[in-house]
Amino acid sequence: MKIAVIGTGYVGLVTGVCLADIGHQVTCIDIDDSKIEALNSGKSIIFEPGLEELMEKNCAEHRLRFTSEYKDGLENADVIYIAVGTPANEDGTANLKALENVAVTLATYIKKHVIIVTKSTVPIGTNDKIRQWVENNLTCTATFDIVSNPEFLREGSAIQDTFYGDRIIIGSDSVKAGDIIEEINSPFNIPVFRTSVRSAEMIKYASNAFLATKISFINEISNLCEELGADVTEVAHGMGMDKRIGPHFLDAGIGYGGSCFPKDTNALMQIAGDIDMDFELLKSVIKVNKKQNQLLIKKAQKRLGDLHGLRIAVLGLAFKPNTDDVREAASLTIIKELLSRGAQVIAYDPVAEANAKLLLPVEVEYAGSISSAIKNADSVFILTEWQEIVDFDPSFYELLMKRPIVFDGRNCYKQDQLINLNIEYYSIGRPNFNAASFTSTGI
């Protein structure tokens, strides 16, 4: 089918490229000329493994193109996907201004029946607003249907999630429109669940809130494990063997981040508040996550005392591996806190440095490798479990650091990797390793 995708951010670009790859004619539209120029030159504007290669392939095979002109992009389109951002307002509510602008603009270009599909994560009832915005601004008698088709992509594995996802949610009040969207997605061969529009909107928020809850739960368990001498990695593995629980999202650490979980949990809180419902569980999830961000700082203070003047290496800036996204990343909070305590910070990340520089104070230094970051450091903070960091030989901490003291917020190493090394190692929810005593230090 002829498909237009409005917005070439993370969701829009991945959606457009993958729809082209299963055989559709796709035009991606973005009002940012610099983005379109980069995409037309064959360069992906986001870091996502495999995306640039897939983009180049489908452009070469003339199934995918990019434009900044609505008229050009919407011409002959049968289905229009909306994938613009819905960032959080200061009060936690979703900002729908970009979505409204798209709907109003669409109305001026629709000349025949089309299906408008919302990919953006939106509060319950937003698709009704989209319908109203379009209807109020139509310049002809064209008709349209609205479909909610939320995405469930994980940054760093979005291509895999698109082609091998668990389910495709299609929310529509029109059976025919729902059938067409199901047919569009049929080459993916993924189970489809049909719902009402509002149920589809809620499924997205409920899913992300539940996963965030799982993360905060295991982080609270990890804090108990530290106090009681248990190992959270063993506890999580044992829990995950129960099919009712499952092993996913049970990795203890320094909290969730990114563009989805923080934004969506806060938005769902606001949605509940709008109908005078006090969502106590979600309040606790958010509170636990904020507290977990501070855990390594507290450990470092307890071990090192005054951090003023200390050289601290930070390994990992992205909120998770295989992405350059630093939105709501723990690194932002932790680095700013280290600087406020007078520490000297030198950071390394294989791909997220450029984005981090836009959000971090200018005092932060940046290194081109793990080894150069940790050289002469008084301590190391591991904040992102990049495979490069997991595979880094821990003997180099002893060799290169002024004091081999490692605070690992992602549990990258096992104790047996450290036994013959003169290293102090403090992780999350596990006994601390001190080479001098082989006993827990209680930090």
Side-chain angles (χ1 to χ4, degrees), residues 186-202:
S186 61
F188 291 127
N189 197 29
I190 295 172
V192 171
F193 182 52
R194 302 275 289 267
T195 74
S196 68
V197 172
R198 290 197 172 210
S199 290
E201 292 169 332
M202 179 61 88

Side-chain angles (χ1 to χ4, degrees), residues 271-311:
I271 291 167
D274 289 343
I275 58 170
D276 295 323
M277 174 185 167
D278 194 4
F279 207 143
E280 290 286 351
L281 177 60
L282 208 50
K283 275 185 184 177
S284 298
V285 169
I286 295 167
K287 181 180 179 181
V288 167
N289 196 62
K290 289 180 178 178
K291 180 181 70 173
Q292 203 71 10
N293 280 179
Q294 297 294 319
L295 194 57
L296 289 193
I297 297 288
K298 292 180 179 179
K299 287 174 179 283
Q301 264 200 302
K302 188 170 184 180
R303 169 61 183 87
L304 301 170
D306 187 5
L307 303 182
H308 190 274
L310 297 185
R311 182 176 176 84

Side-chain angles (χ1 to χ4, degrees), residues 6 17 32 46 50 82 119 135 157 195 228 234 256 275 289 300 311 322 340 345 347 354 368 376 386 409 422 424 443:
I6 301 176
V17 170
D32 187 332
I46 59 172
I82 302 178
K119 273 286 183 187
E135 285 179 348
S157 58
T195 74
L228 301 175
E234 295 176 344
Y256 57 77
I275 58 170
N289 196 62
R311 182 176 176 84
N322 298 320
S340 74
V345 175
N376 296 323
W386 283 98
N422 183 31
E424 290 182 49
I443 294 176

Side-chain angles (χ1 to χ4, degrees), residues 368-394:
S369 67
I370 298 174
S371 295
S372 58
I374 68 174
K375 188 174 182 180
N376 296 323
D378 293 289
S379 71
V380 164
F381 278 38
I382 299 176
L383 305 186
T384 314
E385 63 277 29
W386 283 98
Q387 195 61 46
E388 177 185 349
I389 295 172
V390 174
D391 293 339
F392 186 72
D393 186 342

Side-chain angles (χ1 to χ4, degrees), residues 264-275:
D264 293 351
T265 50
N266 281 310
L268 191 54
M269 278 278 296
Q270 292 299 321
I271 291 167
D274 289 343
I275 58 170

Side-chain angles (χ1 to χ4, degrees), residues 119-192:
K119 273 286 183 187
S120 304
T121 300
V122 296
I124 293 77
T126 299
N127 278 281
D128 293 335
K129 292 181 179 180
I130 294 173
R131 180 185 297 280
Q132 199 63 54
W133 289 329
V134 174
E135 285 179 348
N136 290 346
N137 291 278
L138 281 172
T139 57
C140 66
T141 57
T143 57
F144 63 94
D145 287 306
I146 297 286
V147 173
S148 176
N149 177 219
E151 52 82 21
F152 299 97
L153 305 179
R154 296 169 297 167
E155 293 188 42
S157 58
I159 304 298
Q160 174 80 10
D161 290 344
T162 301
F163 285 97
Y164 304 100
D166 296 321
R167 80 290 201 201
I168 294 171
I169 303 297
I170 298 175
S172 178
D173 298 327
S174 164
V175 173
K176 184 177 180 180
D179 289 343
I180 291 172
I181 302 307
E182 185 169 348
E183 180 62 25
I184 284 174
N185 287 278
S186 61
F188 291 127
N189 197 29
I190 295 172
V192 171

Side-chain angles (χ1 to χ4, degrees), residues 23 74 90 98 114 122 198 200 269 363:
L74 296 177
E90 288 187 10
V114 295
V122 296
R198 290 197 172 210
M269 278 278 296
E363 296 94 326

